[in-house]
Amino acid sequence: MSTSVPQPRSGVHKISVYVPGDDRSSASRVFKLSSNETPLGPSPMAVEAYRANADKLHVYPEGSARILRDAIAATYGLNPQRIVCGNGSDELLTLLAQNYLSPGDEAIYSQYGFLVYKIAILASGGTPVVAPETEETASVDAILSRVTARTKIVYLANPNNPTGTHLPYDEVKRLHAGLPGNVLLVLDAAYAEYVRRNDYSSGVDLAGAADNVIMTRTFSKIFGLANLRIGWAYGPAAIIDALNRTRGPFNVSGPALAAGVAALKDRVHLELSVAHNSVWLKWLSDEVSALGLRVTPSIGNFLLVHFSDEKGKGAAEADAFLRERGLVLRRVAGYGLPNALRMTVGTEEANRLFTAALAEFVAGSAS
Ligand SMILES: Cc1ncc(COP(=O)(O)O)c(C=O)c1O
């Protein structure tokens, strides 16, 4: 009798399971500030479109996500043939690794880059290569210096999660110019809609013009549809073709497609969400800094707060203290940031409760 059992490819055992943001708290009211979800929720138009699909649950969705690709194309001025939709952008980030990495190939991401990249690379049998950051910001020089003949992908979240920092578009273009043509540059712009800065671009132009650049986007963040799992990618026809061959044939559900189309139409909701975020991101950064804690300058819908190394004053203690009061933030030790917490910009009420509780924590632990 054989004692052997099925074995996954070797990289699978090296994967640390992704730990999602949670909402565990003993408090009677809980504010989940751990997953960069929007405090304003989705557009009411999206909710209505979702509900209107409730009587069609027995029917398979249209497999190419045509209505959503058309709506995205109309909204952003793109060719719908060069868009593919995914079950969240996570699915597309993972499929890119699956499509472009063979065992032994390398893929680069930056030191505090979004953790899904490492998982996707290892799951595909590739070798993750980490480029150190400078001031919690991706470094083009560090990334380029790690390119070898085995490099097949560079993943860049811009802005990045969990730091909230970004690379100006000039730097993104310099990165692209320094990469060999056979290296795929993945620009993950999950938070792009929040950003209103003249040095920033999601990279849509580069993804439209270059043969080796793809941009990924999501409906999970500003559009408030994280629970429906909708992402999309835009890029060269050949890369979109490869994604279409390897994705699930019905990877986005019908109610999700309908909700996504409706969400794109509600520009008022989008503008309200941008305005809410810019006011409260700045307010939170100022208030937390005034308490003597370092905050990484963020342009996303979240901020990274750094705690003291002294016993009793660290991120773990702060997390427990805030949690007891119903304020659930995200530990980021898995990113190599054991003494920081990431906080999603919440409602005005949550933001004010957070700073009040944090002030109490800082005062209580100061001795
Ligand atoms: C940088 C970044 N990319 C991609 C995602 C994945 O988004 P989704 O799979 O919900 O589209 C996230 C979610 O946290 C993110 O922070």
Side-chain angles (χ1 to χ4, degrees), residues 89-295:
S89 52
D90 279 346
E91 183 195 23
L92 301 167
L93 295 165
T94 303
L95 283 176
L96 287 166
Q98 187 180 307
N99 289 355
Y100 290 93
L101 294 179
S102 299
D105 286 342
E106 295 172 357
I108 305 174
Y109 57 92
S110 68
Q111 185 177 1
Y112 303 118
F114 183 45
L115 267 180
V116 163
Y117 310 148
K118 184 177 183 186
I119 296 174
I121 296 161
L122 286 170
S124 300
T127 304
V129 175
V130 178
E133 300 196 358
T134 311
E135 294 180 356
E136 286 143 19
T137 306
S139 156
V140 169
D141 293 318
I143 294 172
L144 290 177
S145 73
R146 276 153 185 85
V147 174
T148 71
R150 292 175 169 239
T151 308
K152 294 290 158 52
I153 301 182
V154 171
Y155 283 102
L156 180 74
N158 203 25
N160 182 51
N161 167 22
T163 53
T165 56
H166 77 292
L167 279 187
Y169 196 37
D170 283 351
E171 280 291 276
V172 175
K173 285 190 277 193
R174 187 165 77 83
L175 171 62
H176 175 247
L179 290 175
N182 69 328
V183 175
L184 173 60
L185 175 60
V186 181
L187 298 176
D188 173 354
Y191 300 93
E193 294 82 2
Y194 281 110
V195 187
R196 300 285 157 92
R197 289 175 64 106
N198 60 11
D199 70 343
Y200 174 80
S201 164
S202 62
V204 64
D205 292 349
L206 209 50
D211 288 334
N212 63 336
V213 180
I214 188 153
M215 172 193 70
T216 58
R217 302 282 283 262
T218 184
F219 282 81
S220 302
K221 304 301 175 187
I222 208 162
F223 293 109
L225 297 173
N227 207 350
L228 289 186
R229 314 301 306 123
I230 322 167
W232 57 281
Y234 170 70
I239 299 175
I240 298 300
D241 176 60
L243 288 169
N244 274 321
R245 287 169 195 269
T246 51
R247 69 178 172 80
F250 307 105
N251 59 341
V252 187
S253 74
L257 294 175
V261 171
L264 285 173
K265 287 199 187 119
D266 195 344
R267 305 309 288 177
V268 174
H269 188 74
L270 182 85
E271 289 307 324
L272 273 177
S273 308
V274 173
H276 175 91
N277 192 63
S278 38
V279 168
W280 290 102
L281 178 68
K282 181 175 182 325
W283 186 86
L284 283 164
S285 306
D286 291 348
E287 295 284 315
V288 175
S289 304
L291 292 174
L293 299 175
R294 185 168 75 82
V295 177

